[in-house]
Amino acid sequence: MRYRFLLILLFFTSRILGQGASLTGIVLDAATEKPIQGVTVKLSNTTKSVSTNKGGLFSLPSVPDNWELIFSAVGFKKQLFPMSVAQGRKVLIVRLEDEQQNLEEVVVNAPKRKKYSNKHNPTVDLIRKVIEKRDGNNALNTAGGSYREYEKLSMSLSIQNEKVDKSRLLKRFDFLKQGTDTLKYPGRTLVPIYMDEKIGQRQLDKAKGNAFILLGENQSRVDQYLDEDGIDEYLDKIYGETNIYDTDVSIGNRRFLSPIATLGPSFYKYYLVDTLKDTKPWHAKIRVEPRNREDALFSGYIYIRLDGTYALDQAELSINEATNINWVRGLNIVLDYSQDQAQRFFLSRGLLRIDLGIFKDGMGLFGEKVTNRSVLDTAQLATHAKALTGRGVQNPNAIDWETARPEKLSKLEQQAFRNIDSLKQSKSFKNLMALGSLIVSGYYGRGLIEIGSIPSFYSFNPIEGSRFKFGGNTTDLFSKTLVLEGYGAHGTKDKRWKYNLGATYSFNGQSVYKFPVKLLSIKVSKEVQVPGQDLNFIDNDNFLLSFRRGENDKMFYLQRRQVEYFQEFENHFSFKVGFFNQILSPAGVLEFDRRAFRKGNGEELWTSAFTAELRWAPEEKLYQGKRYRRIIITGKPIFTLVAQLGVKGLLGGDYNYQRFIFNAKKRFYASQFGFADVVFESGVQFGKVPYPLMIIHRANQTYSYQLNSYNLMNSMEFMSDKYTSLLLQHSFNGFLLNKIPLIKKLDLREIASLKVLYGSVDASNRYTKSFDGMPKNPLEPRLFSLSNGPYVEGSVGLSNIFKILRVDVVRRFTYLNNPGVSPWGIRAKIGIDF
């Protein structure tokens, strides 16, 4: 009865879609009447095919009038549906007979199964020929060429069928029940909530490489509370380019090794399933499987042309449940390749489906990305079309979406636009989004002003005692181009008030947070500062940072006035120029040497300095939060050069000095071996200055692991006027632990890091015996240079504990005799990743 109900749904769905729509059906075992999964349904004389899902269901889009269907599966007789049988049917019921049911009963003594080996394996020999010809067959490796490209991404809530009536979400927003789909994902109901489609041109140029020019975008958007441009960038990373001709297929931060990569035979098993002689040319259908089921590898079928080109022109791939990848309950890829004028192969249609969910049986997020490409000749190029730079609904080239789409939107995809429009009018949805924004950003407010950051409203430290803070900033309802912000704070121990007041104006007429920015900011503040601490991703007084190891009694009171101009460009080059005037005074156990500091007042150090920064991050992707940007790592390098010029006598400045710091960082992907993050930094400072103005190296005294800080270095322990550092961190993504029985079931991932810091202090800056010795004043800090060799620390750790936790064991290798040093430490970090 259950399968009859599915057939009824299939029939009415096909009737609603009308003539010329997709052909649907179900394949059953003729003996048991149970659905058969994995049956190949193929159009004769073509390479176009699909496979049945767990429920035995299949769907073929755009079936021509004259066709024949071939149904084949291992262990079953192949069946052919000629036009005379199938014509007029939009829902097919196919029953396959067991290949062995007509055989006489015999006794077979099967030989012991041979261990799989690449040696003397004709299928592997065929694959090696495919690999040898791969680069020559890949059209994207050519020096020139242009393609018309259409891409659509739809997202739907995925709910188990039996839980639909009990869903609180659907009861709260009952209009979402309209236009749901129960056929695309057997056993689950899909509720459309997001739709994005783009049209553009992909151009291959020897100098510029592979470039996509966006000409139009149509999207369902909430346009409230969230940075939807940033979310688009995240989705682009998750649903990345799925070209099997590349060495790796990128999905999120994971890299899946292609079955036809050079290292493919070392990680995959290949089995010849069939030789398809009813296609022109003939094709070899090859089953690919990972040698280790837990590795990030594909399973499925690839189709190789047997015409001497050894080209792959079709693939049907998925991942198994044992793969060490988080939140993904299902992933399927179907790729079709066509030949261009040079007889090279390009991806003409790609389908990527991912079902994301925290719990196996809970609500999930089902996404489907479809990519269509076709070759463009010179006459078809839109040479005068306007290229888009931002994201969102844009159509300056007056694209007619109805005619421009290579395939029509399904009813599910059309419903996504209507659902979002209805949600935007719902008061309950607005309240829900406001709560989500509060949790993510730490800010609350829907009027002219929002308050925050709430996690920093209370903190504590040895200098201030309990610190209470309150503040906020204006919103886009006040002004998109002008943001006013400020806060006040008070410590119960030092009895001092702190504050920060600022104004930021955008010169390009858009939000101060929207890339690319063009801003002028002015700020006045009076605060406490941890020497060498620079946390750009979180407030320094965040409550969680109150928990620190060791002594934390060395701080500065800082009064600062600052003006800065910041401009970004579309190529992700940016610059900053600014000026600040500040007054430093000691806090805690710190004291300033009156001989080296401001004459007449040994408790203040005045500084006036001009600042500049150049930054280049090619092809950078980012998510813009309320105050901080989250960089979406793509593997591209980021270069930064910072300069600071101190001027004596300007607005009371006490010292002349010049500081230059260069930083370069990049993530290197190593396919199955994970990825490595590398950060190189070097700096130099000229001029005789007291220790508060020297380069104080970043020490981390919290219990949170930080890549860009030294996790076992004490605050103000080391400083330099010349230094070079190298930070290395390699994430193996479970490559080693996935091979260990029982342990591999925990889905743990290995991480190792090494940090090396070289530095020195010029003799002119060793004004006090505090450096590398005992100070005369016992209250004066004991300072160390790196004159006895580099500072070195390393760590090994496990990540993906409960899918969110990382724990590292950190070891310090040098300068172990410095006071208050711990050679070992445990650090933890929370993060979400695939």
Side-chain angles (χ1 to χ4, degrees):
M1 291 298 294
R2 180 175 50 160
Y3 306 120
R4 291 179 183 176
F5 177 68
L6 288 174
L7 291 174
I8 293 172
L9 286 179
L10 284 170
F11 175 77
F12 282 107
T13 301
S14 64
R15 296 294 296 174
I16 292 171
L17 291 174
Q19 299 297 320
S22 62
L23 174 71
T24 57
I26 186 169
V27 182
L28 305 174
D29 187 323
T32 64
E33 288 293 315
K34 291 183 179 181
I36 306 174
Q37 181 183 2
V39 178
T40 299
V41 185
K42 185 175 179 298
L43 283 172
S44 61
N45 300 318
T46 72
T47 60
K48 189 173 185 180
S49 67
V50 297
S51 296
T52 57
N53 58 26
K54 291 181 180 180
L57 303 175
F58 70 90
S59 176
L60 277 170
S62 304
V63 179
D65 294 333
N66 298 319
W67 49 267
E68 290 181 336
L69 285 179
I70 302 171
F71 296 84
S72 60
V74 177
F76 292 89
K77 289 184 177 180
K78 184 182 294 186
Q79 284 201 26
L80 175 68
F81 265 76
M83 183 179 65
S84 58
V85 177
Q87 191 174 25
R89 301 188 187 184
K90 290 300 179 181
V91 178
L92 294 183
I93 306 172
V94 181
R95 293 176 175 84
L96 298 185
E97 294 183 355
D98 193 321
E99 275 188 329
Q100 299 179 2
Q101 71 179 163
N102 293 327
L103 297 177
E104 297 284 340
E105 183 177 351
V106 294
V107 177
V108 179
N109 294 317
K112 184 178 180 181
R113 186 176 180 180
K114 293 182 180 180
K115 183 179 180 181
Y116 180 88
S117 175
N118 285 344
K119 291 184 178 180
H120 310 297
N121 188 331
T123 306
V124 175
D125 294 339
L126 174 60
I127 290 295
R128 294 193 190 281
K129 291 181 180 179
V130 174
I131 295 172
E132 181 184 349
K133 299 274 190 177
R134 182 193 62 199
D135 291 340
N137 284 326
N138 187 3
L140 296 185
N141 283 342
T142 58
S146 299
Y147 301 89
R148 180 185 184 275
E149 187 166 315
Y150 170 82
E151 181 183 290
K152 64 178 178 180
L153 173 62
S154 60
M155 307 289 292
S156 303
L157 298 177
S158 167
I159 308 172
Q160 282 189 314
N161 289 340
E162 56 268 25
K163 295 182 179 181
V164 170
D165 293 336
K166 301 177 183 179
S167 172
R168 293 182 180 180
L169 180 69
L170 296 185
K171 288 180 180 179
R172 193 170 188 177
F173 307 107
D174 58 352
F175 55 84
L176 291 178
K177 294 181 181 179
Q178 302 177 13
T180 58
D181 188 299
T182 58
L183 297 179
K184 181 173 287 187
Y185 195 166
R188 287 187 169 267
T189 297
L190 300 182
V191 182
I193 57 171
Y194 175 87
M195 181 65 196
D196 177 55
E197 51 183 345
K198 295 180 287 189
I199 287 181
Q201 294 179 356
R202 187 167 297 276
Q203 297 184 1
L204 307 180
D205 185 272
K206 193 171 184 179
K208 298 180 181 180
N210 187 339
F212 177 69
I213 302 172
L214 181 62
L215 300 178
E217 184 169 15
N218 188 28
Q219 187 183 81
S220 58
R221 291 174 70 94
V222 176
D223 288 322
Q224 301 174 74
Y225 307 106
L226 301 173
D227 171 26
E228 293 189 79
D229 290 349
I231 292 176
D232 290 342
E233 300 290 1
Y234 270 119
L235 291 175
D236 283 349
K237 183 174 183 179
I238 295 172
Y239 293 85
E241 174 72 17
T242 51
N243 184 8
I244 204 171
Y245 275 86
D246 293 333
T247 299
D248 296 311
V249 176
S250 172
I251 299 176
N253 272 334
R254 303 303 299 272
R255 294 295 188 272
F256 291 77
L257 184 71
S258 168
I260 60 171
T262 303
L263 292 176
S266 299
F267 291 92
Y268 281 101
K269 297 178 181 180
Y270 304 90
Y271 301 96
L272 180 62
V273 176
D274 196 2
T275 300
L276 306 179
K277 299 180 179 180
D278 53 353
T279 62
K280 294 182 180 180
W282 289 5
H283 283 72
K285 180 179 181 180
I286 297 175
R287 170 77 181 174
V288 296
E289 295 178 0
R291 290 174 178 262
N292 183 47
R293 296 178 68 247
E294 285 75 16
D295 285 344
L297 297 167
F298 294 112
S299 299
Y301 299 95
I302 57 176
Y303 297 81
I304 308 301
R305 294 166 65 101
L306 300 179
D307 58 354
T309 64
Y310 298 104
L312 182 153
D313 61 6
Q314 187 178 352
E316 302 163 2
L317 303 171
S318 62
I319 61 172
N320 61 67
E321 295 180 355
T323 303
N324 186 349
I325 181 170
N326 294 331
W327 325 115
V328 177
R329 300 186 300 200
L331 184 150
N332 296 93
I333 299 174
V334 179
L335 306 175
D336 290 292
Y337 290 83
S338 300
Q339 285 182 291
D340 61 13
Q341 297 93 329
Q343 304 303 306
R344 294 175 180 252
F345 291 82
F346 66 94
L347 181 65
S348 54
R349 190 179 191 275
L351 171 65
L352 171 62
R353 288 175 174 171
I354 302 179
D355 182 29
L356 302 171
I358 298 177
F359 303 107
K360 183 177 181 179
D361 297 327
M363 181 183 294
L365 189 63
F366 178 84
E368 181 179 85
K369 176 184 174 182
V370 177
T371 303
N372 283 277
R373 289 197 187 116
S374 57
V375 177
L376 287 176
D377 57 32
T378 306
Q380 293 174 312
L381 285 175
T383 54
H384 301 292
K386 183 178 180 180
L388 307 185
T389 56
R391 297 298 304 270
V393 181
Q394 302 179 78
N395 192 14
N397 298 304
I399 295 172
D400 183 353
W401 289 97
E402 290 297 326
T403 58
R405 296 184 184 106
E407 53 189 65
K408 293 183 178 181
L409 296 182
S410 67
K411 289 186 177 294
L412 187 74
E413 293 165 339
Q414 295 174 25
Q415 187 65 34
F417 290 99
R418 293 190 288 268
N419 284 350
I420 288 297
D421 290 339
S422 299
L423 284 173
K424 287 194 290 187
Q425 306 303 318
S426 169
K427 185 177 180 180
S428 296
F429 178 74
K430 292 178 180 179
N431 292 334
L432 189 63
M433 292 298 293
L435 177 61
S437 178
L438 170 62
I439 294 173
V440 173
S441 69
Y443 284 78
Y444 177 78
R446 288 183 288 171
L448 299 177
I449 297 175
E450 59 185 2
I451 62 172
S453 163
I454 293 176
S456 67
F457 280 4
Y458 174 75
S459 59
F460 57 88
N461 61 69
I463 307 301
E464 296 178 281
S466 290
R467 172 187 167 102
F468 295 92
K469 172 183 169 183
F470 185 81
N473 53 257
T474 59
T475 67
D476 285 351
L477 295 178
F478 173 81
S479 174
K480 284 190 175 182
T481 57
L482 176 64
V483 172
L484 306 177
E485 59 181 336
Y487 65 78
H490 187 265
T492 58
K493 185 176 180 179
D494 66 355
K495 309 294 183 183
R496 293 197 185 192
W497 283 97
K498 295 88 182 176
Y499 61 84
N500 178 75
L501 299 172
T504 304
Y505 180 75
S506 173
F507 288 97
N508 56 14
Q510 62 184 18
S511 170
V512 298
Y513 303 118
K514 187 174 178 61
F515 175 87
V517 301
K518 190 176 181 182
L519 309 174
L520 178 67
S521 62
I522 301 173
K523 294 183 179 180
V524 179
S525 63
K526 184 177 182 181
E527 259 296 0
V528 292
Q529 182 188 55
V530 180
Q533 191 77 61
D534 183 19
L535 300 178
N536 293 321
F537 61 93
I538 195 171
D539 292 301
N540 286 289
D541 54 355
N542 185 283
F543 173 72
L544 295 178
L545 295 182
S546 300
F547 300 93
R548 296 173 181 264
R549 61 177 177 85
E551 299 294 332
N552 294 279
D553 50 5
K554 302 181 187 70
M555 294 189 184
F556 297 139
Y557 286 112
L558 173 66
Q559 300 179 58
R560 189 180 180 105
R561 295 159 289 278
Q562 172 182 315
V563 59
E564 183 178 78
Y565 178 79
F566 177 29
Q567 183 168 349
E568 296 176 317
F569 298 90
E570 294 292 347
N571 62 356
H572 289 272
F573 174 81
S574 65
F575 72 88
K576 295 179 182 178
V577 291
F579 173 81
F580 70 83
N581 175 259
Q582 69 179 24
I583 304 173
L584 281 177
S585 55
V589 300
L590 292 183
E591 283 194 0
F592 287 172
D593 189 332
R594 294 175 182 270
R595 296 168 300 170
F597 290 79
R598 187 174 178 83
K599 293 182 179 180
N601 186 353
E603 295 300 315
E604 289 184 351
L605 172 62
W606 288 54
T607 308
S608 295
F610 293 95
T611 61
E613 176 182 305
L614 300 177
R615 184 177 185 273
W616 184 43
E619 300 180 41
E620 181 181 44
K621 308 292 183 182
L622 51 89
Y623 175 84
Q624 176 65 59
K626 290 289 183 181
R627 295 180 64 189
Y628 304 106
R629 283 179 173 175
R630 272 70 172 178
I631 305 301
I632 303 173
I633 300 176
T634 60
K636 300 296 183 180
I638 300 176
F639 305 99
T640 307
L641 177 63
V642 178
Q644 193 175 114
L645 176 65
V647 182
K648 184 177 181 179
L650 179 62
L651 298 180
D654 290 330
Y655 291 91
N656 288 315
Y657 66 90
Q658 304 83 38
R659 177 186 298 179
F660 303 93
I661 297 176
F662 172 76
N663 180 285
K665 54 186 175 183
K666 187 183 187 311
R667 172 168 290 181
F668 295 89
Y669 289 97
S671 191
Q672 294 305 293
F673 304 99
F675 59 86
D677 292 305
V678 180
V679 181
F680 171 83
E681 187 171 287
S682 186
V684 61
Q685 181 166 296
F686 304 102
K688 182 178 179 180
V689 295
Y691 74 84
L693 295 184
M694 296 182 66
I695 300 172
I696 302 175
H697 297 294
R698 294 183 294 269
N700 172 31
Q701 290 196 248
T702 72
Y703 293 98
S704 172
Y705 183 87
Q706 296 175 13
L707 174 62
N708 295 312
S709 301
Y710 301 96
N711 293 285
L712 288 178
M713 184 184 290
N714 293 327
S715 177
M716 286 190 67
E717 183 179 357
F718 293 103
M719 50 195 69
S720 306
D721 50 26
K722 300 179 186 67
Y723 76 96
T724 297
S725 67
L726 183 64
L727 281 61
L728 304 173
Q729 176 178 273
H730 192 91
S731 301
F732 292 90
N733 281 338
F735 179 77
L736 302 175
L737 295 179
N738 285 346
K739 312 295 189 297
I740 304 175
L742 299 181
I743 296 295
K744 64 184 182 181
K745 295 184 179 297
L746 299 176
D747 288 341
L748 299 175
R749 301 173 186 173
E750 324 84 336
I751 296 180
S753 72
L754 179 67
K755 302 178 182 182
V756 182
L757 171 65
Y758 287 89
S760 64
V761 176
D762 191 85
S764 63
N765 280 322
R766 293 175 177 267
Y767 62 90
T768 171
K769 293 183 178 180
S770 296
F771 265 109
D772 303 323
M774 292 299 297
K776 291 183 178 179
N777 187 338
L779 293 180
E780 189 173 295
R782 190 173 178 186
L783 313 176
F784 293 90
S785 68
L786 293 161
S787 58
N788 294 324
Y791 173 88
V792 181
E793 74 174 31
S795 70
V796 292
L798 295 176
S799 68
N800 209 43
I801 302 172
F802 308 119
K803 299 190 184 298
I804 60 171
L805 179 64
R806 166 182 172 176
V807 177
D808 287 75
V809 177
V810 188
R811 176 73 162 103
R812 174 168 168 166
F813 297 103
T814 57
Y815 295 95
L816 299 179
N817 294 324
N818 286 4
V821 166
S822 297
W824 294 93
I826 303 292
R827 300 291 178 268
K829 183 180 180 181
I830 293 178
I832 298 176
D833 200 355
F834 283 116

